[in-house]
Amino acid sequence: MLLVLDVGNTNTVMGIYSGDKLLQHWRLTSKKQTVDEVGFMILGLLSASAIEKEEIKAAAYASVVPPLDEMFIEGVNKYIGVRCLKVTDKLDTGLKVRMKNPTGLGADRILNAVAGISKYGSPLVVVDLGTAITLDVIAQDGAYIGGAIAPGMELSMESLFLHTAQLPRISLEAPGNYIGGNTTEAIQSGIIYGSVGMVDALLNGIFKELGGSCCVVATGGNAPLFAEHSKLISRLDQWLTLDGLRLVYERNRFID
């Protein structure tokens, strides 16, 4: 079995693969922990899923939070007994990148593109709805050509609360109407429907520059909520990044 970990600014997503089948997955809060705490956390999740640590033969790791790298990588090594293959721009990902400065491309965006092309072909747009909203664009020939980045819905909401003393903290759910009947509904409408409108506007601009519409895949923690209201998202695939980790591992595999 393969253990995969994707560490983001807000959430850490972890999964277990047997071949190409995702057996189990978890979405956890990203936070600074000790190596031992990471190890015990992973062991606890495996135990709850009736998976023995000896069944894990390899691990793949991606992160956009460098300060958390050492504790996760060492935690897996110490408690699971396997090395983590860390996704970097030095690995063979199989992805053609055709943009002005590819060195700044995050591991999560590379993995989404790799998995997206494998599962849905090209041209393609992957919309990842996490701390940031990222749109990754794959051209007809399968090359990654760029995209767009905007604040995510939770980040927008936190910014609103930080700079407005009297607005209440709310849950992130869609109200029944665009016109909020109270302050909570008004904030929910602005954050959710406003973000959907922004992404759909970006997608229309991308389609124009690509010369036509294409498949749009939504992934990330807020993907189900978002995809329900977007007019242009055609597929929902919450665990796309984990599939990318598996595929990149298979191209660069080592087993302890």
Side-chain angles (χ1 to χ4, degrees):
M1 292 182 184
L2 173 68
L3 167 68
V4 292
L5 301 106
D6 173 38
V7 178
N9 289 290
T10 303
N11 294 124
T12 293
V13 183
M14 183 173 125
I16 304 292
Y17 281 92
S18 177
D20 61 1
K21 183 179 180 181
L22 182 60
L23 299 180
Q24 187 58 273
H25 51 72
W26 303 271
R27 190 178 298 275
L28 313 162
T29 300
S30 293
K31 59 183 179 180
K32 190 167 182 60
Q33 303 176 75
T34 67
V35 168
D36 295 326
E37 287 170 334
V38 168
F40 288 135
M41 175 192 71
I42 296 174
L43 288 175
L45 292 171
L46 292 177
S47 177
S49 300
I51 298 173
E52 299 290 336
K53 75 171 188 176
E54 289 79 14
E55 296 180 80
I56 306 299
K57 302 301 182 183
Y61 173 87
S63 169
V64 294
V65 192
L68 303 186
D69 288 357
E70 182 178 358
M71 68 181 195
F72 272 99
I73 292 172
E74 290 301 315
V76 170
N77 182 269
K78 180 177 179 181
Y79 284 90
I80 308 302
V82 296
R83 290 181 294 153
C84 276
L85 177 72
K86 183 182 176 183
V87 175
T88 70
D89 57 5
K90 303 292 192 297
L91 289 184
D92 172 20
T93 64
L95 180 67
K96 295 183 291 184
V97 179
R98 191 168 67 242
M99 55 188 295
K100 294 177 183 177
N101 181 21
T103 57
L105 191 57
D108 53 344
R109 302 181 74 187
I110 293 172
L111 294 170
N112 285 340
V114 168
I117 293 168
S118 174
K119 298 178 77 172
Y120 304 106
S122 57
L124 174 73
V125 181
V126 178
V127 182
D128 193 339
L129 297 142
T131 306
I133 296 173
T134 61
L135 288 82
D136 298 308
V137 183
I138 313 301
Q140 178 69 52
D141 65 353
Y144 183 100
I145 59 174
I149 302 175
M153 290 188 285
E154 273 129 349
L155 194 59
S156 297
M157 195 161 56
E158 285 299 319
S159 178
L160 190 64
F161 299 146
L162 182 64
H163 297 288
T164 50
Q166 295 187 346
L167 291 182
R169 290 186 174 272
I170 62 168
S171 60
L172 195 60
E173 55 187 68
N177 303 290
Y178 281 83
I179 302 172
N182 54 44
T183 301
T184 294
E185 290 180 354
I187 296 171
Q188 290 171 330
S189 176
I191 295 293
I192 295 172
Y193 298 137
S195 296
V196 170
M198 173 193 68
V199 169
D200 280 1
L202 287 168
L203 287 169
N204 277 320
I206 289 168
F207 292 165
K208 184 176 180 180
E209 293 177 9
L210 285 177
S213 62
C214 65
C215 177
V216 179
V217 182
T219 192
N222 291 321
L225 171 65
F226 201 93
E228 181 181 349
H229 301 284
S230 170
K231 295 179 180 179
L232 299 177
I233 289 173
S234 48
R235 299 291 184 92
L236 175 62
D237 193 335
Q238 275 193 274
W239 313 109
L240 188 69
T241 314
L242 297 187
D243 282 333
L245 272 164
R246 175 183 60 81
L247 290 167
V248 169
Y249 174 79
E250 288 174 353
R251 294 181 70 96
N252 301 267
R253 68 170 58 217
F254 54 71
I255 298 179
D256 288 332

